[in-house]
């Protein structure tokens, strides 16, 4: 530090002098200090208006994600009607998303604020941050997959998928979700790749090719295949029953038509002045509505999930394998786009359940 502030020549061969030389040396010292101070100030230029807006948006996203998922958890814990399936899957998803907002997003924001997106918080905190990042994000993704599977089985296996079976299967899915997420996140701590580079002050996911393939496959590509298959099956079942319903549409009968012997399928005939109508009593209306609602909810949930996470995981898979240099700004955009999925999750699965809206109102009304 002293050498950088010295007014001497680069080789340090200047000699101290008296009188005017001393004053000139003092002037040189002040000039040198001003230059150094100017360069330091230029290294700390104020943020532009666009940067301030982006940082404000990220802060609001972090706070909103935390508060919204916390509200969902408080509602599930307080309302006894929610202490059952499938709300335990929703609670598990909200826990993972709350942890993303509380433990992962703030440190990622600190990294964004540092010059050159460098990590200046040390090796230990880097390992903790990367571990929680992989753990919570992977758990959030697999919890979304578990919700989609639960909706699929409740639609296609109504007789076998009883409340007791749903509770048992959902608990197994939650346990497997967190165990798999923990295994993927703890692997770098056990020596599978390196996450921290002290020379470059870089903290990132392990770039070991084998770990990249296993982690991205287990954290995203495998659940992506599952949710796409689930949505295809739900959509197919919904279209099948809707097609069968159209074949049993209301049929007008002429005035002179006589009621003949009952056909193989039960029918009811009502006479109204000069016409009669007939319709099936097969009880499919409620089932069709349930399937249509499940298909819509799962479709939106999967669509948002794919749009949020697929850019990040494509770059994470390609970058270590082909040694591609992706601009840091795009890595940050893809990462925060994935984080935003934790904000959209509670909005989606509560928007399709009126009980949540009523519970939110009662939660605040009772506290008055």
């Amino acid at each position: 530090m002293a050498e950088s502030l010295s007014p001497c020549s680069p080789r340090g061969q200047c000699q101290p002098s008296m009188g005017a030389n001393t004053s000139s040396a003092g002037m040189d010292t002040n000039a040198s200090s001003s230059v150094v101070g100017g360069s330091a100030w230029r290294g700390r230029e104020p943020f532009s208006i666009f940067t301030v807006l982006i940082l404000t948006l990220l802060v609001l996203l972090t706070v909103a994600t935390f508060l919204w998922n916390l509200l969902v958890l408080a509602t599930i814990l307080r309302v006894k009607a929610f202490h059952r399936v499938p709300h335990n899957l929703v609670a598990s998803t909200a826990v993972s998303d709350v942890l993303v907002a509380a433990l992962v997003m703030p440190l990622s924001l600190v990294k964004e604020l540092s010059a050159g997106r460098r990590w200046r918080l040390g090796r230990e905190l880097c390992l903790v941050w990367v571990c929680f990042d992989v753990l919570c994000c992977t758990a959030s993704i697999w919890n979304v997959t578990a919700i989609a599977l639960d909706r699929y089985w409740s639609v296609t296996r109504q007789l076998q998928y009883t409340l007791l079976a749903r509770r048992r299967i959902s608990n197994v899915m939650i346990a497997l979700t967190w165990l798999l997420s923990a295994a993927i996140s703890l692997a770098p701590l056990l020596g599978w790749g390196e996450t921290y580079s002290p020379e470059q002050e870089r903290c990132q996911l392990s770039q070991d090719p084998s770990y990249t393939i296993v982690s991205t496959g287990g954290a995203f590509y495998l659940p992506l295949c599952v949710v796409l298959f689930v949505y295809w099956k739900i959509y197919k079942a919904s279209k099948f029953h809707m097609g069968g319903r159209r074949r049993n549409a209301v049929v007008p009968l002429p005035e002179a038509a006589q009621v003949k012997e009952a056909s193989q399928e039960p029918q009811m005939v009502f006479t109204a002045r000069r016409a009669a109508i007939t319709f099936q009593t097969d009880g499919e209306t409620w089932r069709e509505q349930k399937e249509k609602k499940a298909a819509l909810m799962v479709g939106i949930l999967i669509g948002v999930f794919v749009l949020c996470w697929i850019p990040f995981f494509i770059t994470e898979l390609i970058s270590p394998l082909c040694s591609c240099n992706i601009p840091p700004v795009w890595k940050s955009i893809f990462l925060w786009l994935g984080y935003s999925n934790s904000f959209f999750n509670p909005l989606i699965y509560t928007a399709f359940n009126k009980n949540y809206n009523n519970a939110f109102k009662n939660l605040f009304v009772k506290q008055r």
Side-chain angles (χ1 to χ4, degrees):
M1 178 66 71
E3 293 181 357
S4 63
L5 298 177
S6 174
C8 303
S9 62
R11 297 182 181 179
Q13 295 177 351
C14 62
Q15 298 295 331
S17 59
M18 303 296 294
N21 293 335
T22 304
S23 61
S24 63
M27 294 176 61
D28 293 340
T29 303
N30 294 333
S32 177
S33 299
S34 63
V35 171
V36 174
S39 62
W41 173 256
R42 285 194 298 271
R44 300 176 182 176
E45 292 180 356
F47 296 122
S48 64
I49 296 178
F50 178 75
T51 304
V52 172
L53 291 177
I54 294 297
L55 293 177
T56 303
L57 179 62
L58 296 181
V59 171
L60 292 177
L61 176 64
T62 302
V63 175
T65 302
F66 177 79
L67 293 179
W68 187 247
N69 284 281
L70 194 64
L71 177 62
V72 172
L73 280 176
T75 303
I76 295 176
L77 292 176
R78 182 159 183 168
V79 180
K80 293 183 178 180
F82 290 160
H83 296 177
R84 58 182 178 84
V85 179
H87 302 287
N88 57 348
L89 294 172
V90 175
S92 179
T93 308
V95 168
S96 60
D97 292 335
V98 162
L99 292 177
V100 169
L103 302 177
V104 179
M105 296 171 74
L107 290 177
S108 183
L109 186 60
V110 171
K111 182 182 177 182
E112 295 295 331
L113 291 173
S114 64
R117 294 180 175 85
R118 296 179 180 178
W119 185 266
R120 305 178 185 275
L121 302 178
R123 176 184 176 84
E124 290 75 15
L125 194 56
C126 169
L127 296 177
V128 171
W129 174 63
V130 172
C131 181
F132 277 110
D133 188 357
V134 177
L135 172 66
C136 301
C137 292
T138 304
S140 178
I141 292 172
W142 274 106
N143 279 316
V144 170
T145 307
I147 292 176
L149 283 171
D150 177 76
R151 296 295 190 272
Y152 165 65
W153 287 325
S154 64
V155 168
T156 60
R157 302 179 181 180
Q158 295 181 359
L159 298 179
Q160 300 90 346
Y161 202 52
T162 61
L163 183 61
L164 181 61
R166 293 183 72 182
R167 182 178 291 110
R168 182 173 61 252
I169 294 175
S170 64
N171 291 333
V172 171
M173 288 193 296
I174 291 174
L176 292 177
T177 290
W178 288 98
L179 287 175
L180 177 61
S181 303
I184 296 176
S185 63
L186 294 176
L189 299 181
L190 302 177
W192 199 354
E194 183 58 51
T195 61
Y196 179 70
S197 175
E199 295 80 9
Q200 301 177 353
E201 292 184 326
R202 180 180 300 174
C203 182
Q204 60 183 359
L205 297 177
S206 174
Q207 299 299 296
D208 185 275
S210 59
Y211 176 77
T212 299
I213 295 175
V214 173
S215 61
T216 56
F220 177 74
Y221 292 105
L222 179 59
L224 175 64
C225 294
V226 173
V227 295
L228 290 179
F229 173 78
V230 164
Y231 179 69
W232 175 70
K233 295 292 288 185
I234 293 178
Y235 178 78
K236 185 178 179 181
S238 177
K239 295 292 290 183
F240 173 78
H241 289 106
M242 290 179 64
R245 187 66 177 174
R246 282 194 294 268
R247 291 193 298 268
N248 298 326
V250 175
V251 180
L253 297 178
E255 180 181 5
Q258 301 292 331
V259 179
K260 299 181 180 181
E261 294 182 357
S263 59
Q264 296 180 354
E265 297 177 343
Q267 296 180 342
M268 291 190 298
V269 178
F270 294 90
T271 303
R273 292 184 181 180
R274 297 185 178 183
I277 58 175
T278 179
F279 59 91
Q280 296 296 127
T281 59
D282 52 6
E284 291 289 337
T285 302
W286 175 82
R287 183 177 180 180
E288 289 175 7
Q289 293 177 353
K290 182 179 179 181
E291 291 173 352
K292 185 177 180 180
K293 187 176 181 180
L296 182 60
M297 192 277 289
V298 173
I300 295 177
L301 192 68
I302 293 173
V304 174
F305 156 71
V306 172
L307 291 176
C308 288
W309 279 117
I310 199 168
F312 171 79
F313 279 99
I314 287 178
T315 56
E316 284 298 315
L317 180 62
I318 293 177
S319 180
L321 298 180
C322 66
S323 300
C324 303
N325 291 325
I326 300 174
V329 63
W330 284 108
K331 286 187 176 181
S332 297
I333 292 174
F334 296 155
L335 179 62
W336 281 91
L337 183 62
Y339 289 159
S340 67
N341 186 238
S342 296
F343 169 76
F344 290 114
N345 281 338
L347 293 179
I348 295 173
Y349 53 65
T350 58
F352 287 85
N353 195 325
K354 295 182 179 179
N355 294 329
Y356 276 103
N357 297 326
N358 297 330
F360 291 156
K361 296 177 182 179
N362 296 332
L363 186 65
F364 292 104
V365 170
K366 292 181 180 181
Q367 291 179 354
R368 294 179 180 179

